Amino acid sequence: MKRNIVITGGAGFIGSHVVRLFVNKYPGYNIINLDKLTYAGNLANLKDVEDKPNYKFVKMDICDFDAFFKLMQDEKVDGIIHLAAESHVDRSIKDPFTFAKTNVMGTLALLQAAKLYWESLPEKYEGKRFYHISTDEVYGALSMNHPEGIEPPFKTVASSEGHKAYGDDFFYETTKYNPHSPYSASKASSDHFVRAYHDTYGMPTIVTNCSNNYGPYQFPEKLIPLFINNIRNRKPLPVYGKGENVRDWLYVEDHARAIDVIFHEGKVAETYNIGGFNEWKNIDLIKVMIKTVDKILGNPEDHSLDLITYVTDRLGHDARYAIDSTKLQKDLGWEPSLQFEEGIEKTVRWYLDNQEWMDSITSGEYEKYYADMYKER
Ligand code: NAD
Ligand code: TYD
């Protein structure tokens, strides 16, 4: 079947993996990568697919309602996979307005343009889909009532060796929204608008909430690529607070596969949580990264431990995220494919092998931004 699909934010980290998957897997689809190319957008992420006949790049701001409405008409768009967003919590703390503008108003512009275009067609919403990609951070923070870790109730392929849970609660699809950071507040607001377009106008929408992603092409302001690069360059590793916060990590290609399954087979108006049951305290994860980088670079064991630098904690730093993705596994048969230690090694090797990609980003303004941001304790 021919489909005309817009993937917003396709030049970013997760979006580029989704674009690559769709372009390669569905030669009969027309895949339109719509991206404003902010600091986080990088077309070098998609060099391997840019010449494919079923791929097109359009530089556009999702807040530009008129331009997007015209694109819907010109391309006869029947599916939208919406990833474009401001995505970094630390930036949202410094500049919440940009987050509200892109994440809330931008999502609303896409919804309204899609509504007007699809409602103008004889078949209206039939065969259409608006799929909004969101985060588990909208649920707020879970308690750390088992700081030493307990046997978790669930496990997947992604769960690390000796996998532990650090609390006895998880984020479920039914968990009440309780966002804390400006980033998660803006994502929560956009999720509500997407659901409102289903409930009010009958638009066929889907929302998914995913845990922290890691893998190639992630902008090096986020923990994993930043730290891999700093270890390689013998630079300090700024650990916020005591490094006790817990995140639940999923390999980005597993997220992209989930998006593919849900886009095609997910039930309209449903929410699916995506995650691999793979909780890590930041400091433990950082030690795994140090071990892996040192091993690959041929350094003595724990050579880079001295780079760990405890810095002032992030404001409102959420203690623990841990997602229950049982519904997705049961209803649609999705499972993560990669074990965490394998995924981390693969990721470290990718960043070390693609130094040019990293250098093209880290030379310049970005470094200055970080110099201003962190003060050693
Ligand atoms: P990213 O910051 O790497 O990429 C975002 C992309 O959106 C960039 O290419 C950027 O140029 C584009 N963009 C930003 N503002 C835009 C605008 N106004 N118009 C058009 N394009 C714009 O983000 P990511 O980590 O790939 O996250 C993608 C999506 O997945 C986001 O919606 C994020 O909330 C969600 N998410 C991310 C994670 C994660 O761990 N990274 C986890 C769960 C959900
Ligand atoms: P990040 O990658 O920014 O993702 P998120 O805030 O969306 O979870 O951060 C992951 C964790 O690592 C989070 O608990 C904050 C912490 N962190 C640091 O300790 N130092 C850093 O330099 C960064 C970027 C993050």
Side-chain angles (χ1 to χ4, degrees), residues 12-14 35-36 38 41 61-62 83 87 134 183 187 213:
F13 167 46
I14 303 172
D35 201 295
K36 182 184 176 184
T38 66
D61 187 334
I62 56 166
L83 295 110
S87 69
S134 192
Y183 163 66
K187 290 297 289 187
N213 285 213

Side-chain angles (χ1 to χ4, degrees), residues 85-127:
E86 288 292 336
S87 69
H88 189 38
V89 174
D90 294 324
R91 285 184 190 252
S92 81
I93 292 167
K94 286 190 125 187
D95 174 21
F97 282 98
T98 306
F99 282 69
K101 189 164 173 245
T102 291
N103 299 358
V104 185
M105 293 308 288
T107 300
L108 186 54
L110 298 182
L111 284 164
Q112 183 64 9
K115 171 185 184 289
L116 292 185
Y117 172 61
W118 287 338
E119 286 187 352
S120 75
L121 302 174
E123 78 279 13
K124 302 207 183 289
Y125 287 123
E126 208 185 305

